[in-house]
Amino acid sequence: MFKFAPYVLKTLTRHRARTLLTVSGAAVSVFVYCFVLAVQEGLARLTTQDDSVLVVFQANKFCPATSHLPQDYEHAISKMPGVREVVPIQVFTNNCRASLDVVVFYGTHAEQVRKVRDFELVSGSWDEFESNQDTAIVGQALVERRSRKLGQELSVGRKLTIGDVTVTIAGIYTSENRAEEDYIYCHLDFLQRTRGTDLVGTVTQHEVFLDASADPQQVASALDLKFKSGQVQTDTRTKGVFQASSLQDLIQLIDLMRYLGFACLGLMTVLLATTTVMGVEDRIREHAVLQTIGVTGARVFRLVLSECVLVSFFGGLAGVLIAVVVLATSSLSVGAEAVSIAFAPSTSMATTGVLVSALIGIAAGIAPAWRAAQADIVNALRYAG
Amino acid sequence: MALIDVQKVVKQFRKGPETITPLQETDLQVEKGEFVSLMGASGSGKTTLLNLIAGIDRCTAGRIVVNGTDITTLSRSKLAQWRASNIGYIFQTHNLVPVLTAYENVELPLLLLPISRSERQKRVEIALRAVDLVDRANHYPRQLSGGQEQRVGIARAIVADPTVVVADEPTGSLDAETAEQILQLIIQLNSDLGTTLLLVTHDPDVAASAGRQLKLVHGKLVDDRRAQPTVSMRQEAM
Ligand SMILES: Nc1ncnc2c1ncn2[C@@H]1O[C@H](COP(=O)(O)OP(=O)(O)OP(=O)(O)O)[C@@H](O)[C@H]1O
Ligand SMILES: [Mg+2]
């Protein structure tokens, strides 16, 4: 088969413009498809997160701005069986609705952040953050996005103002979970006081870390039962479920996006099939000459199919590469109700993109290749002879 | 047994209610090393007969045995493999694959046979030398003249040392001088290499250069007179 590789390559380069256009079309399609995959993966990461973390919210409240729980629930919760650690969080966001530029402040006990999150500081220091009330650590993705928006590089020591909150950046962190990089972690007391005196003593939510052996559902029910007759009623869910409900509106949109991705792949299939059919029709006589020489129909089939798969594969590869570069450098994310979905490239996205391209090449090439292989030699020779 | 044995071959084309029968129980025997020319009115079925012998078309009835193989019973893919090692076909025009160089075009038939790379190279060079085109090996068909293109076609037809070389009006679209050169080349193939040759032509002079001249009339071969005993002459020379 490889003996005919030069023939296949030369055939593709002969109609350079046609091949390049088709490759570009495939690249654009796969780029869009990968983008959709990245969004879906970002969402899946949030909604299928570790069951061993619960989020306690005020019952019947949906926006972080309206949920107010007593901060001292922290102590009551931490005494419950199965609970390892409780992190009270005051959430402040510049935009509760769905937006591409959500900035979320998480005010917590500073010394807890290092313990319960997997953050790695790329600059700044934990000590600086933990010992200064008006400082914050900021996710790398948010820093990049904000820097672009402000037109100046944000870095440690600089002030960052969102709405009426101003913090000094004490550190910039990265996280395995890219969505975490869209947040700003600051001191709980600081955020409570800056946002108004009535917030002192209250938090938006408690994040509850469970022992490995604890049953999340059981603890959640026990917790809600405990506060049923308390000062404020609670609604406790696993973090994944909590985030899924925060993102409800977006989830429907993202589901719709999936069809957009499929439509792009459909278009790509049609484009490739069209180009391949054109190539075959141009070469009716050429294929007849090849068959006269002794090339079997099966080989003609493989030759035409490999042309199509090559174009599709390299177009797809280009699309994947563009998607990886764009997603990695743009730090895009979409958020709602203080939960943010990060669009990040991933290995599974890249492999899926490349595999799908190859499969589309095969799907688009089969019919034209079959036609070329089955063509009647004598008729084809008369055709252009 | 003759190298080519065409037995009572019928070829019909159906065109709506009409049936065209260019070949009606045609018989033909060709010995190894013979140079046979085939003439006949336009539409008499010359190309059709050639295509049947070359195994790129199927007859409606009858048997065609070439070099001991009944090619009418071979499957499509077996027939293709058979062509690769047994048939060299020279067309009137557009013989070559446009994206390949002269060298690569000549090499094509060898790619289908179990031949090593170095052996392929050797054979292509011999074939190109035979048609005197060594210096054009890396040229593409569009960079060649009609006559040169035809010579590459001839080199490709002989490179795998096939059982039979068939040529359908190989000089039909060339000017008189070039046509003569090509004809001489073809005659040489037969006389020097002993290639069995079947040549369709409209030109009586071209036909006259063949050792044996046939005429196709109403689906039958007539006027089958052997002019010179090419075969025996060659055998004596050997
Ligand atoms: N695919 C086909 N369908 C219908 N009729 C056909 C087909 N191919 C050939 N014919 C008919 O068969 C007859 C013989 O054709 P063929 O091409 O063999 O003639 P020829 O002797 O080679 O003619 P020419 O000298 O013009 O090349 C013609 O009448 C032609 O119209
Ligand atoms: Mg003809």
Side-chain angles (χ1 to χ4, degrees):
Chain A
M1 189 71 201
F2 292 115
K3 288 187 200 164
F4 281 83
Y7 169 71
V8 171
L9 293 179
K10 284 181 162 189
T11 301
L12 289 176
T13 47
R14 176 190 186 192
H15 292 288
R16 196 161 309 160
R18 186 196 285 180
T19 303
L20 279 179
L21 284 172
T22 314
V23 167
S24 316
V28 172
S29 305
V30 172
F31 168 73
V32 174
Y33 177 68
C34 281
F35 205 95
V36 172
L37 276 184
V39 175
Q40 285 179 313
E41 281 180 358
L43 178 64
R45 268 197 302 275
L46 295 180
T47 54
T48 58
Q49 245 173 21
D50 192 3
D51 268 356
S52 67
V53 183
L54 301 176
V55 174
V56 186
F57 215 62
Q58 183 175 355
N60 307 315
K61 300 288 181 186
F62 302 100
C63 177
T66 56
S67 171
H68 299 290
L69 293 177
Q71 188 180 333
D72 59 14
Y73 274 15
E74 175 189 1
H75 304 294
I77 298 171
S78 63
K79 287 194 197 94
M80 293 182 64
V83 173
R84 181 160 55 84
E85 175 133 24
V86 182
V87 181
I89 300 174
Q90 173 72 49
V91 177
F92 165 60
T93 175
N94 66 336
N95 192 346
C96 220
R97 287 165 304 168
S99 157
L100 282 174
D101 186 34
V102 177
V103 178
V104 182
F105 283 93
Y106 275 10
T108 81
H109 300 312
E111 65 286 356
Q112 270 187 323
V113 177
R114 192 185 332 200
K115 208 155 91 191
V116 299
R117 296 286 190 255
D118 70 337
F119 299 165
E120 296 241 10
L121 288 189
V122 287
S123 63
S125 83
W126 286 105
D127 288 344
E128 177 72 17
F129 169 53
E130 284 162 13
S131 53
N132 291 296
Q133 275 289 318
D134 63 342
T135 60
I137 55 168
V138 187
Q140 170 122 319
L142 181 67
V143 166
E144 280 166 14
R145 235 176 31 239
R146 274 279 134 179
S147 298
R148 250 200 311 274
K149 190 168 178 180
L150 294 173
Q152 60 168 334
E153 194 67 31
L154 282 176
S155 58
V156 172
R158 282 189 176 275
K159 286 197 187 315
L160 177 60
T161 305
I162 309 287
D164 48 9
V165 181
T166 300
V167 289
T168 305
I169 302 175
I172 295 171
Y173 64 85
T174 58
S175 167
E176 279 294 306
N177 179 0
R178 236 287 269 120
E180 282 284 354
E181 290 186 22
D182 286 316
Y183 304 135
I184 299 168
Y185 282 81
C186 61
H187 290 255
L188 179 58
D189 299 343
F190 167 79
L191 195 60
Q192 284 169 333
R193 262 183 284 108
T194 332
R195 300 281 303 131
T197 43
D198 56 332
L199 285 178
V200 175
T202 75
V203 295
T204 312
Q205 64 206 48
H206 290 281
E207 226 177 277
V208 181
F209 292 78
L210 303 178
D211 291 328
S213 57
D215 175 0
Q217 297 307 329
Q218 226 163 17
V219 178
S221 317
L223 215 149
D224 288 342
L225 194 66
K226 186 182 179 79
F227 297 112
K228 196 160 178 143
S229 52
Q231 202 179 338
V232 181
Q233 290 188 10
T234 58
D235 180 8
T236 307
R237 285 162 287 179
T238 63
K239 196 168 178 180
V241 172
F242 170 76
Q243 291 180 332
S245 71
S246 299
L247 295 168
Q248 214 163 21
D249 299 347
L250 284 176
I251 287 176
Q252 286 176 353
L253 260 175
I254 289 170
D255 241 24
L256 222 80
M257 261 177 89
R258 188 170 55 200
Y259 295 104
L260 196 77
F262 289 150
C264 273
L265 296 185
L267 268 177
M268 171 173 165
T269 314
V270 173
L271 172 71
L272 280 160
T274 310
T275 310
T276 314
V277 165
M278 276 166 69
V280 166
E281 280 174 356
D282 279 354
R283 286 179 293 149
I284 289 177
R285 185 179 166 97
E286 187 175 314
H287 285 144
V289 169
L290 286 178
Q291 293 214 40
T292 302
I293 289 170
V295 174
T296 56
R299 194 188 286 272
V300 171
F301 180 85
R302 293 200 301 269
L303 289 173
V304 174
L305 194 62
S306 17
E307 283 167 26
C308 189
V309 170
L310 276 179
V311 168
S312 180
F313 178 80
F314 282 107
L317 197 65
V320 167
L321 288 178
I322 298 169
V324 168
V325 170
V326 167
L327 288 169
T329 56
S330 64
S331 318
L332 277 176
S333 66
V334 59
E337 294 177 15
V339 177
S340 139
I341 307 171
F343 307 164
S346 73
T347 327
S348 77
M349 177 206 84
T351 359
T352 312
V354 171
L355 274 180
V356 162
S357 321
L359 285 179
I360 285 183
I362 294 173
I366 280 183
W370 180 256
R371 232 177 79 184
Q374 293 299 312
D376 183 76
I377 303 176
V378 175
N379 278 341
L381 286 174
R382 287 180 193 267
Y383 176 81
Chain B
M1 198 182 177
L3 185 73
I4 303 172
D5 191 3
V6 178
Q7 300 168 11
K8 293 199 181 335
V9 159
V10 179
K11 179 68 183 179
Q12 291 185 327
F13 293 105
R14 215 151 276 152
K15 244 187 194 161
E18 238 183 303
T19 308
I20 305 163
T21 312
L23 300 179
Q24 183 62 54
E25 304 210 332
T26 309
D27 288 303
L28 169 67
Q29 279 77 39
V30 177
E31 300 296 333
K32 191 172 184 332
E34 267 192 305
F35 178 5
V36 181
S37 70
L38 184 56
M39 299 215 355
S42 182
S44 57
K46 303 181 294 295
T47 300
T48 304
L49 180 60
L50 213 61
N51 288 345
L52 288 174
I53 293 170
I56 58 172
D57 202 356
R58 300 276 194 183
C59 54
T60 314
R63 244 159 65 95
I64 299 170
V65 181
V66 180
N67 205 12
T69 308
D70 182 352
I71 62 169
T72 51
T73 60
L74 293 180
S75 71
R76 201 184 146 112
S77 63
K78 279 274 175 323
L79 196 56
Q81 284 159 16
W82 175 84
R83 285 195 299 273
S85 45
N86 288 284
I87 296 294
Y89 203 128
I90 305 167
F91 301 100
Q92 181 174 352
T93 54
H94 299 103
N95 266 299
L96 306 181
V97 176
V99 291
L100 300 181
T101 61
Y103 183 98
E104 290 165 329
N105 263 287
V106 175
E107 192 187 22
L108 267 180
L110 300 181
L111 297 178
L112 304 168
L113 304 172
I115 294 176
S116 74
R117 199 191 176 85
S118 57
E119 177 68 15
R120 280 208 305 268
Q121 190 178 352
K122 212 169 79 191
R123 289 222 207 165
V124 174
E125 274 161 14
I126 292 172
L128 281 174
R129 204 169 307 133
V131 298
D132 196 21
L133 272 181
V134 181
D135 54 335
R136 296 297 167 117
N138 294 319
H139 287 216
Y140 285 90
R142 64 186 138 78
Q143 299 169 317
L144 299 172
S145 71
Q148 287 167 336
E149 220 178 300
Q150 208 56 348
R151 268 146 68 193
V152 177
I154 292 169
R156 191 183 60 196
I158 59 165
V159 73
D161 193 19
T163 314
V164 188
V165 170
V166 299
D168 194 358
E169 300 181 46
T171 58
S173 61
L174 302 172
D175 63 82
E177 200 180 326
T178 318
E180 181 57 27
Q181 285 172 4
I182 295 294
L183 183 65
Q184 287 311 319
L185 189 59
I186 290 174
I187 292 171
Q188 230 176 20
L189 291 181
N190 174 248
S191 58
D192 294 358
L193 305 173
T195 313
T196 310
L197 255 177
L198 218 59
L199 176 98
V200 168
T201 180
H202 279 292
D203 185 339
D205 294 338
V206 173
S209 57
R212 183 177 166 203
Q213 297 157 38
L214 303 179
K215 198 160 193 163
L216 200 50
V217 182
H218 301 308
K220 298 270 189 199
L221 284 167
V222 293
D223 202 9
D224 183 2
R225 55 184 151 75
R226 291 171 195 246
Q228 267 104 37
T230 327
V231 187
S232 50
M233 249 171 60
R234 196 175 53 79
Q235 277 168 346
E236 273 159 27
M238 275 164 73

